[in-house]
């Protein structure tokens, strides 16, 4: 693995942030969807399950997740692992791809977003390689393989991709949680 104690402590913050952001996003979508669709309660606008609110939630979540991947890349690079450049390429390609879409350059955006997809798969492979626990390593590996399967399924049936994406997100949250427990457990063992 080759991560120092300093790097492990810093990577733990990536895992904590990843869990908190994804869990909060999923919880907001679930609660707002339920309250908007199944109850007649008067709700403030920002809590309604509307297309605009869902899009804003997705953009905020994406911005925070991209900053977490940039943080991961910086920590790995500072630790002497060149694998840290892969999450940085992912972040850069998502930002450039989004800017190209907003500028109306759709062909160029597709090319850059394909690079983003490949580098996201690479980022999951990096997370697999730095895992400190076998359970989380296998979850990251399964997420990587499911991401490859989702690319193939996108050609066949878009609905299946949504289910696969939910499984990937759930596996990522579980893997991050296991990693935090593992790192905190190792930290406690070092103190004793």
């Amino acid at each position: 693995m080759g991560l120092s104690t300093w790097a492990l402590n810093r990577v733990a913050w990536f895992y904590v942030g990843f869990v908190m952001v994804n869990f909060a996003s999923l919880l907001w979508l679930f609660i707002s969807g339920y309250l908007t669709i199944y109850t007649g309660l008067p709700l403030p606008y920002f809590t309604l399950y509307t297309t605009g609110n869902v899009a804003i939630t997705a953009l905020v979540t994406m911005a925070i997740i991209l900053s977490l991947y940039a943080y991961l890349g910086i920590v790995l690079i500072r630790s002497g692992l060149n694998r840290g450049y892969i999450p940085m390429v992912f972040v850069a390609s998502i930002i450039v791809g989004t800017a190209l879409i907003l500028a109306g350059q759709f062909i160029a955006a597709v090319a850059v977003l394909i690079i983003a997809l490949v580098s996201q798969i690479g980022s999951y492979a990096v997370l697999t390689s730095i895992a400190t626990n076998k359970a989380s390593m296998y979850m990251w590996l399964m997420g990587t393989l499911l991401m490859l399967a989702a690319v193939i399924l996108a050609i066949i049936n878009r609905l299946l991709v949504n289910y696969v994406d939910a499984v990937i997100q759930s596996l990522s949250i579980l893997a991050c949680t296991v990693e935090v427990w593992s790192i905190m457990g190792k930290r406690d063992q070092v103190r004793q």
Side-chain angles (χ1 to χ4, degrees):
M1 185 181 73
L3 282 181
S4 65
T5 305
W6 175 86
L8 276 177
N9 289 334
R10 299 306 180 273
V11 169
W13 286 110
F14 166 80
Y15 295 132
V16 169
F18 196 90
V19 169
M20 289 177 63
V21 169
N22 280 295
F23 184 74
S25 171
L26 291 173
L27 187 64
W28 181 86
L29 288 170
F30 174 73
I31 290 173
S32 67
Y34 180 79
L35 292 177
T36 303
I37 296 169
Y38 296 110
T39 66
L41 297 174
L43 301 169
Y45 179 75
F46 69 90
T47 60
L48 293 175
Y49 190 74
T50 62
T51 306
N53 286 346
V54 170
I56 289 170
T57 302
L59 286 174
V60 169
T61 303
M62 183 177 79
I64 296 171
I65 291 292
L66 289 178
S67 63
L68 285 170
Y69 273 110
Y71 172 78
L72 174 68
I74 290 168
V75 167
L76 293 177
I77 291 168
R78 286 190 63 200
S79 298
L81 296 175
N82 290 333
R83 292 175 271 185
Y85 289 109
I86 296 171
M88 299 298 282
V89 168
F90 171 63
V91 170
S93 57
I94 288 290
I95 291 170
V96 170
T98 303
L100 287 172
I101 287 173
L102 293 174
Q105 302 293 323
F106 298 112
I107 302 296
V110 167
V112 172
L113 291 176
I114 288 172
I115 293 169
L117 177 64
V118 171
S119 58
Q120 184 181 15
I121 293 169
S123 294
Y124 270 56
V126 167
L127 288 164
T128 302
S129 72
I130 64 169
T132 61
N133 188 295
K134 286 212 182 278
S136 65
M137 181 183 73
Y138 291 130
M139 284 186 242
W140 285 118
L141 181 61
M142 183 61 72
T144 306
L145 296 174
L146 285 173
M147 207 174 294
L148 290 169
V151 172
I152 296 167
L153 288 174
I155 299 167
I156 300 168
N157 187 346
R158 174 71 179 132
L159 185 62
L160 291 174
V161 175
N162 293 336
Y163 292 121
V164 172
D165 186 47
V167 171
I168 292 169
Q169 192 172 15
S170 301
L171 282 172
S172 301
I173 291 171
L174 285 172
C176 286
T177 305
V178 168
E179 279 299 312
V180 169
W181 283 335
S182 177
I183 290 170
M184 295 304 164
K186 288 181 182 184
R187 185 186 300 165
D188 290 342
Q189 288 176 354
V190 169
R191 287 181 185 163
Q192 293 175 357

